[in-house]
Amino acid sequence: MSLPLALDLTDRLVVMVGGGPVTGRRLHAFVAEGARVRVVAPWVCEDVAEVLARDPVLVEWVRRDYTGPDDLDGAWLVHTAAGDGAVDTAVREDSAALRLWCIDATDASATAARVLARTEVETPDGVVTVAVHAGGDPRLAAGVRDGIDLALRSGVIDLRRRRPRTTGWVALVGGGPGSDGLLTTRGHELLASADVVVVDRLAPRGVVSRLPESVRVIDVGKTPHHHPVPQDRINAILVEEAQRGHGVVRLKGGDPYVLGRGGEERLECEAHGIPVEVVPGVTSAVAVPAAAGIPVTHRGVAKSFTMVTGHEQVPSLPTGSDHTLVLLMGVSLLRETALALVSQGRSVDCPVAIIERGFLPDQRVTIGTLEDIADLADSCGVQSPAVIVVGDVVRLAHPV
Ligand code: SAH
C-alpha cells in the first residue's frame, strides 16, 4: 500500500547517510528541488563531491560514520544508502523512533517512503510531473515511465492549462521545412500546451491538422506577392491573444530566426511584457538542399556557404565554386541573380540546383548551370517555395 504524495522540499533539511553513487544520484534531485542536505559519510564518490563543491551552502558533509539519532537532528526526510546493512537498519529504526519519513535506497520495501520513477515536461505554465509506482518492481515502474515520457515528448498527451491564466505566453516555434517529422520534440510539447496556433504557409500542415478542435488555428500564411496578413498585424495578434490569457504557439516554417522575422515578433511580445520562448527549427537553407542529396559543405568540394535572400539584388559574394551559395525566396529574380553572379566573377559553368517544395510529396529538383538555369526554370515552370543552390556541391545531388 502506498499513497503517492508530492513533497515540496524547498529549504527543508534532508539527511543522507552514505556517500556512494546512489546518494549522488538522489542528491542531485533533492538539491534541484531546493532542499538543504546533510550528507553523513566517511567518504564520498565523485558525484557527491561535485555537488558539495558546487553548493557548499545548501549541502553539508559530516565526514564520518553515522553515529545515531543526533545525526538526524532537524531533518524532514531521511535517505539511507550506507552500503552496510547494519547502518541502514539503524538509520531506519532511528528515523521511525523520531517519526521521520525514511527512504532506504537498498530496500524500497523496508521503509514507508520510497522514490518513484518519474518524468517531467516543462510547459510555459509550469512543470508537469508524472510519477509511477509499480508495487515492488522498480524496473517495471521505470519502463512504464519511459513509455509515458515518450508520449509526453511527442505531444500526444494534452498539456493545455485548464485554469485561467492572468497573462498568456508566446512560443515562436520553428516547424522545419514542411514535413511533419522535422518538427522538434520541444515544438510538439509546446503545441500540446497551446490554446492558439498562429501558422505560416510553409509550416508543417500535417501537425496543424492533427491539433484537437479546441485549439484555435489562425492562418496568416503568406504567398509571394500576396501577403494576406501583414507583419504588423501578426505581431498584434500574438500580443492580443497572449494578453487575453492564451498560450500561443507561432508555428513558422524552417527556423524562426532565418529570414523568418522571428526577431521582430519576439521583440514585439517582450515590449508588451509577454514571456516568449523561441524554439529553433530545421532551416530550409540547409535541409532542403539535403533533401536533394546536396550537402552545403563537403570535404574537398566546399568548406563554407553563404545564405542570402534572392528576393533582392544579391550583394557581393565569394565567387569560387568551392563556396556554396544558398538562395531563399529566389525564384522570381533568378535570371537577374544568375547574371549578377556571373558579372561578379562566378563561372557560367558553375552548377545550380533548384529544389522546389523540399521534403513534400511533390518535391522537384532542376539542375543546370548559371548560364542555363533561368531558361530551364522558365521551361519547367519553377515556382516558389524553392531553395536555389549554387556551387560544386550540386554535383553530389541525387540523380534527378
Ligand atoms: N525561416 C525559413 C525561411 C523563410 S523564407 C527557414 O528557416 O527555412 C521562405 C523561403 O524558404 C521560401 O521562399 C523558400 O526559399 C524557402 N523554403 C521554405 N520551406 C521550403 C521547402 N519546403 N522547400 C523549398 N523551399 C523552402
Side-chain angles (χ1 to χ4, degrees), residues 288 354-359 362-366 380-387:
V288 169
I354 306 175
I355 307 104
E356 297 167 82
R357 300 183 55 75
F359 289 104
D362 50 351
Q363 171 177 314
R364 180 170 68 163
V365 182
T366 307
C380 66
V382 162
Q383 280 183 0
S384 179
V387 171

Coordinates of all heavy atoms in Angstrom, one line a residue, residues 288 354-359 362-366 380-387:
V288 N 16.7 21.7 -47.2 CA 16.1 21.5 -48.5 C 17.2 21.0 -49.5 O 16.9 20.1 -50.2 CB 15.3 22.7 -48.9 CG1 14.9 22.6 -50.4 CG2 14.0 22.8 -48.0
I354 N 17.8 23.8 -58.3 CA 16.6 24.4 -57.7 C 15.8 23.3 -57.1 O 15.4 22.3 -57.8 CB 15.7 25.1 -58.8 CG1 16.6 26.2 -59.5 CG2 14.6 25.8 -58.1 CD1 15.8 26.8 -60.7
I355 N 15.5 23.4 -55.8 CA 14.7 22.4 -55.2 C 13.4 23.0 -54.8 O 13.4 23.9 -53.9 CB 15.4 21.8 -53.9 CG1 16.8 21.3 -54.3 CG2 14.6 20.6 -53.4 CD1 17.9 22.2 -53.8
E356 N 12.3 22.6 -55.4 CA 11.0 23.1 -55.1 C 10.4 22.2 -54.1 O 10.5 21.0 -54.2 CB 10.1 23.2 -56.3 CG 10.6 24.1 -57.4 CD 9.9 23.8 -58.7 OE1 8.7 24.4 -58.9 OE2 10.4 23.1 -59.6
R357 N 9.6 22.8 -53.2 CA 8.8 22.0 -52.2 C 9.6 20.9 -51.5 O 9.1 19.7 -51.5 CB 7.5 21.6 -52.8 CG 6.7 22.7 -53.4 CD 5.4 22.3 -54.0 NE 4.6 21.6 -53.1 CZ 3.9 22.0 -52.0 NH1 4.0 23.3 -51.7 NH2 3.2 21.3 -51.2
G358 N 10.8 21.2 -51.0 CA 11.6 20.2 -50.4 C 10.9 19.4 -49.3 O 10.2 20.0 -48.5
F359 N 11.1 18.1 -49.3 CA 10.5 17.2 -48.3 C 9.0 17.0 -48.4 O 8.4 16.2 -47.7 CB 10.8 17.7 -46.8 CG 12.2 17.5 -46.4 CD1 13.0 18.6 -46.4 CD2 12.7 16.3 -46.1 CE1 14.4 18.5 -46.0 CE2 14.1 16.1 -45.8 CZ 14.9 17.3 -45.7
D362 N 5.5 16.4 -53.5 CA 5.8 16.8 -54.9 C 7.1 17.6 -55.0 O 7.2 18.4 -55.9 CB 4.6 17.6 -55.4 CG 4.2 18.7 -54.4 OD1 4.7 18.7 -53.3 OD2 3.4 19.5 -54.8
Q363 N 8.1 17.2 -54.2 CA 9.4 17.8 -54.4 C 9.9 17.7 -55.8 O 9.7 16.6 -56.4 CB 10.3 17.1 -53.4 CG 11.8 17.6 -53.6 CD 12.7 16.9 -52.5 OE1 12.4 16.9 -51.4 NE2 13.8 16.4 -53.0
R364 N 10.5 18.7 -56.3 CA 11.1 18.6 -57.7 C 12.4 19.3 -57.7 O 12.6 20.3 -57.1 CB 10.1 19.3 -58.7 CG 10.7 19.2 -60.1 CD 9.7 19.7 -61.1 NE 9.4 21.1 -61.0 CZ 8.8 21.8 -62.0 NH1 8.4 21.2 -63.1 NH2 8.5 23.1 -61.8
V365 N 13.4 18.7 -58.4 CA 14.7 19.2 -58.5 C 15.1 19.5 -59.9 O 14.9 18.6 -60.8 CB 15.8 18.2 -57.9 CG1 17.2 18.8 -57.9 CG2 15.4 17.8 -56.5
T366 N 15.6 20.7 -60.2 CA 16.0 21.1 -61.5 C 17.5 21.4 -61.4 O 17.9 22.2 -60.6 CB 15.2 22.3 -62.0 OG1 13.8 21.9 -61.9 CG2 15.5 22.6 -63.4
C380 N 10.3 24.7 -67.3 CA 9.5 23.7 -66.5 C 8.6 24.4 -65.5 O 8.0 23.7 -64.6 CB 10.4 22.7 -65.9 SG 11.6 23.2 -64.7
G381 N 8.6 25.7 -65.5 CA 7.6 26.4 -64.6 C 7.9 26.3 -63.2 O 7.0 26.0 -62.3
V382 N 9.2 26.6 -62.8 CA 9.6 26.5 -61.4 C 8.8 27.6 -60.6 O 8.6 28.7 -61.0 CB 11.1 26.8 -61.3 CG1 11.5 27.2 -59.9 CG2 11.9 25.6 -61.7
Q383 N 8.4 27.1 -59.4 CA 7.6 28.0 -58.6 C 8.1 28.0 -57.1 O 8.8 27.1 -56.7 CB 6.2 27.5 -58.5 CG 5.4 27.9 -59.7 CD 3.9 27.5 -59.6 OE1 3.5 26.9 -58.6 NE2 3.2 27.8 -60.6
S384 N 7.8 29.1 -56.4 CA 8.2 29.2 -55.0 C 7.2 28.3 -54.3 O 6.1 28.1 -54.7 CB 7.9 30.7 -54.6 OG 8.2 30.8 -53.3
P385 N 7.6 27.7 -53.1 CA 8.8 27.8 -52.4 C 9.9 26.9 -53.0 O 9.7 25.8 -53.3 CB 8.5 27.4 -51.0 CG 7.4 26.3 -51.2 CD 6.6 26.8 -52.4
A386 N 11.1 27.5 -53.1 CA 12.2 26.7 -53.6 C 13.5 27.3 -53.0 O 13.6 28.5 -52.7 CB 12.3 26.8 -55.2
V387 N 14.4 26.4 -52.9 CA 15.8 26.8 -52.5 C 16.7 26.6 -53.7 O 16.6 25.6 -54.4 CB 16.2 25.9 -51.3 CG1 17.7 26.2 -51.0 CG2 15.4 26.3 -50.0

